[in-house]
Amino acid sequence: MKIEVLGSGCAKCNKVKEIVEKVVKEAGIDAEIVKVEDIDKILDYGVMVTPGLVIDGDVKIAGKIPSEDKVKEWLTQ
């Protein structure tokens, strides 16, 4: 599983990465977590507002910090 956190390094973007890392660790999920800061790559996903979260190429959320429960739901589907 590949998880991409989209964002320029803002506080909200870092918070999303923290949440994802916590959920992955707690759930014992084998995943590669990548922080994408290149604006062109972010725009390629159609994300205009960060933070964004992409799981296996699928944009799950943009412009908001997801809850831990929501991230867990996405990762365990």
Side-chain angles (χ1 to χ4, degrees):
M1 174 180 291
K2 183 174 182 180
I3 303 168
E4 296 168 279
V5 177
L6 311 179
S8 61
C10 65
K12 289 181 179 178
C13 304
N14 292 333
K15 182 64 179 174
V16 171
K17 188 168 187 262
E18 286 176 26
I19 290 170
V20 168
E21 289 173 340
K22 181 179 179 186
V23 171
V24 164
K25 184 177 179 182
E26 287 178 356
I29 297 169
D30 183 24
E32 174 189 7
I33 302 170
V34 179
K35 182 87 163 56
V36 178
E37 296 184 357
D38 183 347
I39 191 68
D40 290 331
K41 289 183 181 177
I42 293 170
L43 291 174
D44 284 347
Y45 281 112
V47 172
M48 301 296 181
V49 182
T50 59
L53 182 64
V54 178
I55 300 173
D56 288 336
D58 188 23
V59 177
K60 295 297 186 182
I61 194 167
K64 296 180 185 177
I65 299 174
S67 68
E68 287 183 26
D69 288 341
K70 195 66 182 172
V71 172
K72 188 172 185 177
E73 179 184 318
W74 290 328
L75 295 178
T76 56
Q77 287 179 351

